[in-house]
């Protein structure tokens, strides 16, 4: 809130997303590193369920659309086309 009141709303929004993502990624990384070192392993097998694979494919599609519409319509200023396309992608996966 303090950053937004000072007129730095862009930085405030970035911090809202970056803070939790950083905490999640570092927490998972440290947790797995601790687990693997305790078990004496260098890797562990991971299986992707069909639901997880579908969610991942929609996430990647959403990111590609974000970049595509953001760059093609107007650099760094996406319009309503972008919003509607991302909403449609989100509704399709539900």
């Amino acid at each position: 809130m303090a950053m937004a009141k000072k007129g730095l709303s862009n930085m405030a929004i970035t911090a809202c997303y970056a803070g939790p993502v950083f905490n999640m990624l570092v927490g998972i990384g440290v947790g797995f590193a601790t687990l693997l070192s305790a078990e004496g392993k260098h890797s562990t097998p991971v299986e992707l369920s069909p639901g997880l694979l579908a969610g991942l494919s929609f996430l990647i599609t959403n990111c590609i659309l974000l970049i595509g519409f953001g760059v093609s319509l107007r650099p760094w200023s996406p319009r309503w086309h972008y919003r509607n396309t991302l909403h449609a992608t989100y509704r399709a996966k539900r």
Side-chain angles (χ1 to χ4, degrees):
M1 285 299 281
M3 297 303 279
K5 288 180 181 178
K6 290 182 180 179
L8 302 172
S9 59
N10 231 5
M11 186 182 291
I13 295 295
T14 301
C16 288
Y17 288 104
V21 169
F22 175 79
N23 291 338
M24 182 175 58
L25 293 176
V26 169
I28 290 172
V30 170
F32 272 115
T34 304
L35 175 68
L36 291 176
S37 68
E39 293 181 352
K41 295 181 180 179
H42 294 291
S43 65
T44 185
V46 176
E47 294 182 27
L48 293 177
S49 67
L52 185 61
L53 196 56
L56 182 62
S57 65
F58 275 105
L59 178 66
I60 290 171
T61 303
N62 200 9
C63 289
I64 290 170
L65 288 172
L66 168 70
I67 293 169
F69 276 99
V71 170
S72 68
L73 293 177
R74 209 163 148 199
W76 310 114
S77 180
R79 298 249 184 225
W80 61 271
H81 302 27
Y82 158 74
R83 182 194 69 220
N84 292 344
T85 303
L86 291 184
H87 279 282
T89 305
Y90 177 74
R91 282 189 214 110
K93 76 175 182 180
R94 292 180 84 193

